[in-house]
Amino acid sequence: MAISAIKNTTNRVQQAFYNIMPRYVAGEKADKLYKTAGREISSAENRLILGATALMSQPFIDFHNRRIDEDTRRVAVCRTIAKIIAGTVTGYAVRKGSIKAIRACSQLPKDGVAKWRSFFTPKDVTKIDTDEFKQYQNSLGTYISLGVMLFTNFLIDAPLTKFLTNKLNARAIDNKKNGGAK
């Protein structure tokens, strides 16, 4: 009972949001753009977009936080930048690598194709839509990358974030000592 009430409320909020959107955001052209972007942009490129957006906004927010002192603010900005860079670089690399590995291992079985190259190809393949098959490869690569990232977050992201934070913070301290000359 409560779940259906939440679902109905969610649907009403979504419909209200959709109704107030201008036609260029919610029209046929926009739908075509969204579908094309959904087909053509993999999770790796999506991670780059998210990283660039975060790099343009989050350090600015930390820098203008007046509730903390200047030194804490400087360290927060350095840490935020380091986290975004480390997360974006490793996230992109792991996702892209996983998708490429899945593409290499999900080729159509033909004469001369090694058995391991069709390991992730669906068994009942008779007719393949290339767009659907590409989406299958992207999705499977993304799922594999999520498992890999359980390890890379601790093995690569955390140490890289610490290293970059220390480098950025040392540079910020040098700039402050030299009067911002660097």
Side-chain angles (χ1 to χ4, degrees):
M1 193 73 172
I3 293 175
S4 64
I6 292 170
K7 197 173 190 179
N8 289 337
T9 304
T10 303
N11 289 340
R12 278 188 259 135
V13 169
Q14 287 175 346
Q15 187 61 46
F17 181 72
Y18 187 77
N19 290 341
I20 63 171
M21 297 302 292
R23 299 226 22 101
Y24 63 88
V25 175
E28 287 181 32
K29 288 183 180 179
D31 288 344
K32 184 178 177 183
L33 173 71
Y34 300 147
K35 286 178 184 176
T36 302
R39 266 194 322 271
E40 299 301 323
I41 298 175
S42 72
S43 64
E45 287 87 15
N46 192 15
R47 184 64 184 107
L48 283 178
I49 293 168
L50 288 172
T53 304
L55 198 55
M56 290 187 290
S57 61
Q58 290 178 354
F60 179 80
I61 293 167
D62 285 346
F63 183 74
H64 287 84
N65 183 358
R66 300 291 176 208
R67 288 183 271 171
I68 55 176
D69 63 286
E70 186 178 334
D71 290 336
T72 306
R73 192 176 322 136
R74 183 193 69 245
V75 172
V77 169
C78 292
R79 182 154 175 82
T80 298
I81 292 170
K83 284 169 70 174
I84 292 169
I85 291 171
T88 301
V89 168
T90 57
Y92 174 79
V94 169
R95 285 175 175 93
K96 196 67 167 179
S98 296
I99 290 170
K100 282 188 176 212
I102 291 299
R103 285 191 182 150
C105 294
S106 64
Q107 295 182 4
L108 295 176
K110 298 178 189 170
D111 291 337
V113 174
K115 190 168 183 108
W116 69 270
R117 288 202 165 270
S118 62
F119 184 75
F120 288 112
T121 305
K123 298 296 180 206
D124 56 349
V125 175
T126 55
K127 179 183 170 194
I128 289 200
D129 179 4
T130 54
D131 281 341
E132 286 181 8
F133 193 61
K134 183 179 174 186
Q135 291 303 315
Y136 163 78
Q137 291 171 325
N138 285 343
S139 298
L140 190 56
T142 300
Y143 292 134
I144 297 294
S145 70
L146 292 174
V148 172
M149 284 187 283
L150 290 172
F151 300 100
T152 61
N153 281 342
F154 299 105
L155 298 175
I156 298 171
D157 277 5
L160 184 59
T161 298
K162 183 178 178 182
F163 173 78
L164 290 173
T165 300
N166 291 338
K167 288 290 186 186
L168 291 170
N169 196 32
R171 185 173 175 120
I173 290 171
D174 287 345
N175 279 344
K176 186 177 179 182
K177 285 180 184 177
N178 296 332
K182 278 192 175 178

